[in-house]
Amino acid sequence: MVINDEFKEALRQILWQFRAPIRYAFAYGSGVFPQTASPPTLSSSKLHPKPSAAISNVQGGQGKMIDFIFGVSYTQHWHSLNLQQHPDHYSALRYAGSYAVSRIQDTWGAGVYFNPFVTANGTLIKYGVVNLDTLCRDLSEWDTLYLAGRLHKPVKILRDDARVRLANQVNLLSAVRTALLLLPSTFTEQELYSTIAGISYLGDVRMSFPTENQNKVVNIVTNQLANFRRLYAPLIENLPNVSFKDPRTSQPDWIQDPTTNASMAQDMDPVKRSNMVRRLPKAFRGKLYFAYQSKFQIPQLEFKRMLEAANDEDPVRVKRKQGGEFERRVAGDESESLKSEVRKVIKMTIRWPSVSQTLKGIFTGGAINTWRYVSEKFAKYREGTKRTETGERAQRENGKEAKIRAHIPEAKGAEKKVQ
């Protein structure tokens, strides 16, 4: 992602406030990437005690907490060091010690421990701690989609790790393949990016409550179109079954052009689509297979035989996975039915980790911080709803004015005829 150097350095300075070793880190969310062009509701000086000039400039005076994810090698050791340095970052769970904190992190929910409303280097932040093994597994297998879904969208990588970088390439390819299964033969790039960005919100319990802006996905893609292109265009160009069909994409500066919404097309050949199904993340693919075993009413023994015949996992060398008989049946299912089954599996994957992480947040964040967080989310929801209603009202009024203007010449012509 293209990023202001001063802003990136300001974010990195926040990491240096932690003596516990952080192997991998990224910043994400509306505090880093604007999701709306509307004026701010809270100034940065009121939210951040003493922010750097770079953070104030990038946020445009908006009071937005900055979200981080820290990837660590040893969970208990990390929390032990951090509890010694920053005990005030933790809720009352700190009194239970680093072992209890790490157990809550690793065994409850998606394996992430959040400390919200923390001031670091004069900036208000929220940071989540995750074990690198948990992170890489979610990126490559989609067992919860909790962190993999966050990395489907543009983020600021502040400390990189080779293993995570490789796993995330798999994650991004999987996001494109899943989105293609949900899209028709022709579509636009905004439809592709919106489908990808929307994956992590399907089944997210927070979207069921009036705490999240229902236009969130549209806002993210509209305001970060160039960053989505940087993330996905190189992958799309190397995939054999999808391509851009817009001459404007051959221009060197098209990625920065906000007026371009390039048309795209995918090959609906059942063999190629069956290969996409076979190359979906392992945990996610397994859930989809069992959904179709039930739908096709395949006996257990026959289903097991089909899976064994299609098993091309090789512990010694990397093989390009090819779809077999079962995958071709899945890919050949009626389009709307396939979309429905894929969406069900996405919701099934996300629902419980989302619920359990939300419940865990009450304990890890503390009652006061949880209430503050929910209140701010509710305020954002109301603001987004109000903005949507205002836009729809303006569109209706513009439409009425256009009809009136169109009718006036007709009325004058009628008067002349009468005379």
Side-chain angles (χ1 to χ4, degrees):
M1 297 298 99
V2 173
I3 179 171
N4 176 294
D5 288 336
E6 289 81 10
F7 182 47
K8 191 169 188 176
E9 182 57 31
L11 295 177
R12 283 177 169 166
Q13 286 299 318
I14 291 174
L15 302 186
W16 288 110
Q17 306 306 306
F18 296 84
R19 288 198 292 267
I22 300 169
R23 287 275 306 279
Y24 176 82
F26 67 86
Y28 67 99
S30 59
V32 181
F33 294 95
Q35 295 178 7
T36 176
S38 63
T41 56
L42 184 65
S43 70
S44 60
S45 61
K46 292 181 180 178
L47 185 79
H48 303 302
K50 194 177 180 181
S52 68
I55 290 176
S56 294
N57 290 338
V58 168
Q59 291 197 344
Q62 297 185 49
K64 288 185 177 290
M65 183 165 60
I66 298 178
D67 297 337
F68 293 85
I69 292 293
F70 298 161
V72 305
S73 298
Y74 304 100
T75 306
Q76 184 179 351
H77 176 64
W78 197 92
H79 283 296
S80 176
L81 295 175
N82 201 47
L83 279 164
Q84 292 177 31
Q85 183 188 7
H86 299 299
D88 55 311
H89 288 189
Y90 293 80
S91 68
L93 286 174
R94 66 181 180 272
Y95 297 114
S98 61
Y99 175 78
V101 169
S102 63
R103 288 291 294 171
I104 289 171
Q105 174 183 318
D106 292 332
T107 62
W108 195 358
V112 188
Y113 190 103
F114 281 104
N115 282 328
F117 299 105
V118 167
T119 300
N121 211 34
T123 305
L124 192 69
I125 70 169
K126 178 182 75 176
Y127 65 91
V129 183
V130 63
N131 187 282
L132 285 176
D133 292 337
T134 302
L135 174 59
C136 289
R137 184 172 61 251
D138 193 35
L139 292 175
S140 58
E141 299 185 12
W142 284 15
D143 56 346
T144 69
L145 265 171
Y146 192 81
L147 292 174
R150 279 166 170 74
L151 283 161
H152 288 167
K153 298 172 279 292
V155 301
K156 305 293 189 188
I157 307 294
L158 303 174
R159 285 187 191 167
D160 209 353
D161 177 87
R163 185 161 64 110
V164 178
R165 185 167 62 249
L166 179 60
N168 195 40
Q169 285 299 106
V170 174
N171 176 44
L172 296 177
L173 275 169
S174 299
V176 173
R177 289 176 177 136
T178 303
L180 291 176
L181 292 174
L182 295 170
L183 289 166
S185 58
T186 59
F187 47 92
T188 66
E189 59 169 338
Q190 283 203 11
E191 288 174 327
L192 173 65
Y193 303 145
S194 295
T195 303
I196 291 172
I199 288 174
S200 61
Y201 295 113
L202 281 174
D204 190 335
V205 67
R206 296 173 302 172
M207 300 303 289
S208 304
F209 302 114
T211 54
E212 291 290 347
N213 187 343
Q214 299 301 308
N215 298 313
K216 191 168 189 174
V217 172
V218 175
N219 291 340
I220 290 171
V221 175
T222 301
N223 290 282
Q224 294 300 323
L225 184 58
N227 284 327
F228 272 95
R229 285 172 178 159
R230 292 188 188 95
L231 202 58
Y232 289 103
L235 299 176
I236 292 167
E237 289 170 359
N238 288 301
L239 287 173
N241 60 322
V242 61
S243 59
F244 291 102
K245 296 295 183 183
D246 196 312
R248 289 174 294 182
T249 60
S250 61
Q251 299 174 2
D253 59 346
W254 80 277
I255 283 182
Q256 293 288 359
D257 184 5
T259 63
T260 298
N261 184 18
S263 56
M264 302 182 67
Q266 65 167 315
D267 191 338
M268 302 298 281
D269 176 66
V271 173
K272 290 184 178 179
R273 286 175 71 78
S274 72
N275 290 341
M276 281 204 305
V277 171
R278 180 66 185 89
R279 293 165 191 167
L280 291 173
K282 183 179 179 181
F284 182 82
R285 186 180 71 237
K287 294 186 182 93
L288 184 64
Y289 282 2
F290 281 113
Y292 268 97
Q293 179 200 11
S294 175
K295 180 176 181 177
F296 293 154
Q297 297 183 335
I298 302 174
Q300 184 63 33
L301 289 176
E302 183 183 349
F303 181 65
K304 185 177 180 181
R305 178 188 61 78
M306 291 171 64
L307 292 185
E308 289 175 351
N311 184 19
D312 52 10
E313 302 284 352
D314 193 326
V316 179
R317 60 194 179 97
V318 176
K319 293 176 65 176
R320 196 165 179 81
K321 299 172 183 176
Q322 303 294 325
E325 176 191 350
F326 180 68
E327 286 81 8
R328 284 192 290 274
R329 287 188 66 184
V330 172
D333 191 15
E334 194 271 328
S335 176
E336 290 303 317
S337 177
L338 176 59
K339 292 176 187 178
S340 176
E341 293 298 333
V342 171
R343 286 194 185 97
K344 285 179 185 176
V345 173
I346 293 172
K347 291 177 181 178
M348 185 192 312
T349 301
I350 292 172
R351 177 70 67 181
W352 174 242
S354 169
V355 170
S356 53
Q357 277 290 152
T358 300
L359 293 174
K360 183 165 74 171
I362 298 173
F363 297 96
T364 61
I368 295 175
N369 281 339
T370 300
W371 175 253
R372 180 181 175 184
Y373 181 77
V374 171
S375 298
E376 291 187 2
K377 284 286 188 180
F378 183 62
K380 283 184 180 181
Y381 171 82
R382 286 186 298 179
E383 182 184 343
T385 302
K386 185 178 179 181
R387 193 181 302 119
T388 301
E389 290 173 351
T390 302
E392 290 175 350
R393 193 181 306 116
Q395 287 181 350
R396 287 195 299 269
E397 290 174 356
N398 289 338
K400 289 178 181 178
E401 288 178 6
K403 287 180 180 178
I404 291 171
R405 290 195 201 99
H407 184 68
I408 287 173
E410 295 176 7
K412 289 182 177 179
E415 288 178 9
K416 289 180 180 179
K417 288 179 181 179
V418 170
Q419 293 174 354

